[in-house]
């Protein structure tokens, strides 16, 4: 599933391609996604100008002038293709929504597994709608160790699970949580409420560093908008623990092997020596 860095890159690509442009035509081929595409979508968007495109958590926020906001989530397998004004659209299986802009450019939402979502927010201010009204801080903005520490102090779940909770921090998924806990040298099984303020600070620094590297790697794909597709793990070649069960620990002095365990039916990857459960 695309996580914060992938969604950020798709949002930037979309912003570069359609911000300020007028939507000339909306085609919906299939409405039954995880959340059904609303019936009035075509009518509500046709002739409207795209104001601004942002990201919040794993969601892409498309603000439309004179209209409520379009919310896009890529789900498990969602992809965005962008066509420049001089390129012709080539239909592909599972192209569910096509936005044709007045200048001839097009954006296409393709999603084979249909876990994605594309809908219009119900309130004037999208931030007041669920899930945004209950979403935790953006990890790259003003995320403080004190805030994390306070939230974790009431959590009787492993730190791995807590960091996947979008109410604690927005945008993280399995890959980057595993990587950040390795970088912070914290065992994924540690009870959230047992972490010190200093350890919360280490986690925040590690999360920021892992996300910033991934966004930088993803940014290189922006040179060609057609490749802004939300592909998984932009810096997959430099992952330290994720999907590396049985391989040597990335820390050269360690000598241990990466281990895989299951937590809340999802795989966690960690180094038993570097991420010591008893280091509190
Ligand atoms: Zn190690």
């Amino acid at each position: 599933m695309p996580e914060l860095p992938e969604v950020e890159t798709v949002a930037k690509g979309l912003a570069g391609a359609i911000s300020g442009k007028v939507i000339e035509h909306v085609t919906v081929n299939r409405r039954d996604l995880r959340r059904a595409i609303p019936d009035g979508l075509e009518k509500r968007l046709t002739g409207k100008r795209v104001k601004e495109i942002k990201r919040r958590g794993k969601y892409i926020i498309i603000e439309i002038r004179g209209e409520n906001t379009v919310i896009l989530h890529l789900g498990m397998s969602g992809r965005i293709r962008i066509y420049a004004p001089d390129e012709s659209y080539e239909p592909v299986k599972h192209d569910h929504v096509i936005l044709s802009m007045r200048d001839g450019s097009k954006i296409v939402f393709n999603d084979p597994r249909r876990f994605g979502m594309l809908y219009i927010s119900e309130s004037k201010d999208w931030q007041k709608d669920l899930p945004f009204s209950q979403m935790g801080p953006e990890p790259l903005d003003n995320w403080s160790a004190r805030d994390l520490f306070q939230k974790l102090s009431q959590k009787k779940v492993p730190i791995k699970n807590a960091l996947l909770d979008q109410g604690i921090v927005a945008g993280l998924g399995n890959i980057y949580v595993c990587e950040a806990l390795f970088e912070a040298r914290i065992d994924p099984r540690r009870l959230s409420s047992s972490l010190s303020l200093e350890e919360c600070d280490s986690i925040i620094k590690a999360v920021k560093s892992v996300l910033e590297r991934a966004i930088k790697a993803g940014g290189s794909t922006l040179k060609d908008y057609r490749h802004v597709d939300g592909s998984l793990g932009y810096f997959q070649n430099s992952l330290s623990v994720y999907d590396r069960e049985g391989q040597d620990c990335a820390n050269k002095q360690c000598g241990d092997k990466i281990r895989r365990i299951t937590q809340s039916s999802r795989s966690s990857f960690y180094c038993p020596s570097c991420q010591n459960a008893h280091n509190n």
Side-chain angles (χ1 to χ4, degrees), residues 249-260:
C249 175
N251 173 8
K252 295 279 182 287
Q253 289 90 52
C254 170
D256 209 340
K257 306 268 189 213
I258 302 306
R259 190 175 294 174
R260 183 179 72 86

Side-chain angles (χ1 to χ4, degrees), residues 182 240-241 244-251 254-260 269-275:
F182 174 75
S240 299
V241 289
R244 294 196 61 225
E245 182 182 16
Q247 296 183 38
D248 291 337
C249 175
N251 173 8
C254 170
D256 209 340
K257 306 268 189 213
I258 302 306
R259 190 175 294 174
R260 183 179 72 86
F269 300 88
Y270 71 107
C271 172
S273 297
C274 293
Q275 294 166 263

Side-chain angles (χ1 to χ4, degrees), residues 11-27:
K12 277 185 189 154
L14 279 175
I18 62 167
S19 273
K21 293 185 183 174
V22 174
I23 302 168
E24 176 106 325
H25 190 73
V26 181
T27 307

